[in-house]
Amino acid sequence: MIIVDIKKGLKAYNGLQVLQIKKKFIVGSITRITGPSGAGKTTFLKMVAGLITPDTGIIKTNNTAWFDASQQINLSPQQRHIGFVFQDYALFPNMTVKQHLEYATNDTQWINRLLTIGGLSDFTDHKPNHLSGGQQQRLAILRALAIKPKLLLMDEPFSALDLKMKSALIKDLQGLFAELGATTLIVSHNPQELDGISGDELEIGS
Amino acid sequence: MDLSPIWLTLKLAAITTLILLLIGLPLAWWLSKKRSLVKTIIEAIITMPLVLPPSVLGFYLLLAFSPQHGLGHWLQQTFNVQFVFSFQGLVLASVIYSMPFMISPVKSAFQQLPVSLSQASYTLGKTQWETFRHVLLPNIKPSLLTAAVLTFAHTLGEFGVVLMIGGNIPGVTRVASIAVYDSVEQMNYTAANNYSLILFAITFVMVLSVFIYNKYQVKSPLE
């Protein structure tokens, strides 16, 4: 069980806005996160990943505290071992597709498998600026999966994919998530996109 | 024609650039991260040589490192090091004088990289040093080259600071810009012209090379 009970003050155009999230995520589940733009969906994911520090509260996974404001516990992103797919992909312009995955893991078999799933086996020597938007997005997903995370945070991960590619990839990813036993939180603006795969939903800023 | 001022200038510029690469890279990276009052003050101090008359900077360095005064006296007594009228004095002055030319472009380059690049690297389990070495540094290469060339070229052209702290000792502190001035003083326009032409040619080729290199650099998709 992953327990999140956090609060963070955010500066908004209309003054200070408080982002408060209280939610339990079942291990291995897939949760869709929705909410209007600017509500704090990305901030929430980054707080779980340890990239932004909440003002107060706790984040616990399997009884291990990642963050506990009262006890001044705050594990670094490196210690949390989380897969993160960034909205802007955050690909490294100096690295090829293969180097992205090799930067994350030494497991060659796993890298080859990911490349096949993401349809990037023929583009291993391409740098991000020689990939299409969809290919870049798939690479961002594969890189996050390369570390075999137990928790996967995805910020609009399928927005640049065409329908055919999206459904094929989602199907493959579902199998991978189950294999890894990964708990997955996905921010999505498209309600139909995750139909049938996400069992739970978290609405932010409602 | 005595070529020693040219060699001395090139040696000074190379050593200064190397030192500033070693100091400037981590300093620029640190300055590019979250702002604080201390950082703002340090940045202002680093930028001062851009606006301060070189003779003023040279004058203060001369006072600070003169063996007759506190710091200079202590350095000479303790380490037997003298910065005034010596080559190491020129290096020290050049490092201070050219520092903004290294720090400013490198800092801007770090700031222009999306913060998510570092964050992505951290989530992959990489330390700050690994992230700096494998992600940040390779992606600011054009700016780094520009900064290094600007620093080198700027050091080639130093006059006021080096004259104040180093004087005009042939083979020790008589760099090319001082040799030009000295030749004109002696009405030896041929020598002045030769030194000037060599400095002009070196600087032009270096700056042109940087422009050509940067022109053919493939732009990042994230720019």
Side-chain angles (χ1 to χ4, degrees):
Chain A
M1 185 78 77
I2 298 169
I3 301 164
V4 178
D5 185 0
I6 47 175
K7 215 186 248 189
K8 172 88 179 167
L10 302 175
K11 279 180 194 160
Y13 69 94
N14 53 354
L16 194 72
Q17 172 193 332
V18 176
L19 174 65
Q20 188 169 9
I21 312 279
K22 191 172 180 178
K23 175 89 180 160
K24 287 178 182 171
F25 302 94
I26 298 164
V27 171
S29 65
I30 299 174
T31 304
R32 186 160 76 96
I33 300 172
T34 58
S37 295
K41 300 186 291 294
T42 299
T43 305
F44 168 65
L45 290 188
K46 288 191 173 179
M47 284 196 286
V48 175
L51 297 168
I52 293 176
T53 309
D55 294 336
T56 57
I58 54 154
I59 301 173
K60 270 187 182 173
T61 169
N62 297 329
N63 291 325
T64 306
W66 280 0
F67 176 79
D68 190 336
S70 62
Q71 293 191 53
Q72 294 184 321
I73 295 171
N74 188 13
L75 296 193
S76 67
Q78 290 90 339
Q79 290 169 307
R80 296 187 192 199
H81 195 70
I82 283 175
F84 202 116
V85 181
F86 290 80
Q87 195 174 12
D88 67 355
Y89 316 150
L91 298 175
F92 310 132
N94 60 309
M95 292 189 199
T96 62
V97 167
K98 198 171 182 189
Q99 284 167 341
H100 271 87
L101 303 183
E102 284 172 343
Y103 185 61
T105 180
N106 297 322
D107 188 340
T108 318
Q109 273 189 324
W110 181 237
I111 289 176
N112 290 334
R113 195 169 154 208
L114 288 174
L115 287 169
T116 308
I117 289 170
L120 291 175
S121 298
D122 294 334
F123 302 93
T124 52
D125 293 330
H126 287 52
K127 287 188 176 175
N129 57 337
H130 289 119
L131 297 174
S132 69
Q135 288 168 330
Q136 289 184 27
Q137 197 162 39
R138 275 178 275 154
L139 176 57
I141 296 170
L142 301 185
R143 183 182 61 183
L145 285 166
I147 60 167
K148 296 185 177 172
K150 289 290 172 200
L151 177 59
L152 186 63
L153 308 174
M154 306 171 94
D155 198 353
E156 295 281 355
F158 310 117
S159 59
L161 303 181
D162 60 73
L163 271 176
K164 198 177 158 194
M165 173 54 78
K166 195 187 294 184
S167 57
L169 184 65
I170 286 177
K171 200 176 156 199
D172 284 336
L173 288 179
Q174 239 184 316
L176 272 188
F177 296 161
E179 187 182 322
L180 294 170
T183 309
T184 310
L185 312 186
I186 307 176
V187 168
S188 173
H189 274 117
N190 185 346
Q192 282 82 45
E193 192 170 72
L194 302 173
D195 276 355
I197 71 158
S198 65
D200 204 355
E201 186 165 326
L202 168 65
E203 199 172 348
I204 294 179
S206 53
Chain B
M1 183 188 160
D2 176 19
L3 282 176
S4 66
I6 299 292
W7 293 123
L8 196 67
T9 306
L10 291 174
K11 187 174 140 190
L12 176 65
I15 293 172
T16 302
T17 307
L18 198 66
I19 292 174
L20 275 176
L21 272 174
L22 293 173
I23 301 173
L25 262 176
L27 191 56
W29 181 41
W30 179 68
L31 286 171
S32 71
K33 293 160 91 174
K34 216 173 175 181
R35 293 200 71 79
S36 69
L37 183 63
V38 176
K39 284 185 186 178
T40 307
I41 292 169
I42 291 174
E43 213 176 331
I45 293 169
I46 290 170
T47 312
M48 283 296 278
L50 277 181
V51 288
L52 208 61
S55 52
V56 173
L57 186 66
F59 172 67
Y60 282 126
L61 287 173
L62 184 65
L63 281 187
F65 293 104
S66 161
Q68 277 79 48
H69 292 94
L71 180 62
H73 182 72
W74 179 78
L75 284 169
Q76 191 164 37
Q77 293 295 314
T78 317
F79 302 106
N80 198 26
V81 175
Q82 189 182 322
F83 282 105
V84 173
F85 303 122
S86 66
F87 182 73
Q88 55 263 37
L90 293 193
V91 172
L92 177 77
S94 301
V95 165
I96 294 169
Y97 188 51
S98 293
M99 197 174 275
F101 287 84
M102 178 64 78
I103 301 280
S104 188
V106 175
K107 192 199 88 174
S108 300
F110 278 131
Q111 281 177 330
Q112 277 167 20
L113 290 177
V115 70
S116 57
L117 289 190
S118 303
Q119 292 180 335
S121 180
Y122 298 153
T123 60
L124 296 173
K126 305 299 175 186
T127 60
Q128 284 208 24
W129 167 244
E130 287 169 324
T131 302
F132 178 78
R133 199 171 145 230
H134 298 292
V135 177
L136 303 181
L137 204 52
N139 287 308
I140 62 152
K141 231 165 44 183
S143 302
L144 192 59
L145 181 76
T146 306
V149 171
L150 279 179
T151 303
F152 192 94
H154 187 245
T155 310
L156 290 184
E158 278 176 15
F159 179 72
V161 179
V162 287
L163 185 65
M164 289 296 271
I165 197 161
N168 183 12
I169 306 168
V172 181
T173 62
R174 191 175 189 243
V175 292
S177 59
I178 293 173
V180 172
Y181 177 77
D182 202 34
S183 303
V184 171
E185 283 279 284
Q186 291 171 21
M187 302 295 282
N188 186 353
Y189 279 35
T190 310
N193 189 36
N194 288 340
Y195 288 130
S196 302
L197 210 60
I198 292 172
L199 276 187
F200 184 90
I202 294 171
T203 315
F204 181 71
V205 168
M206 290 187 70
V207 174
L208 186 68
S209 309
V210 169
F211 272 91
I212 291 170
Y213 174 79
N214 283 344
K215 189 180 171 185
Y216 289 105
Q217 278 293 302
V218 179
K219 284 202 168 181
S220 150
L222 305 168
E223 274 173 15

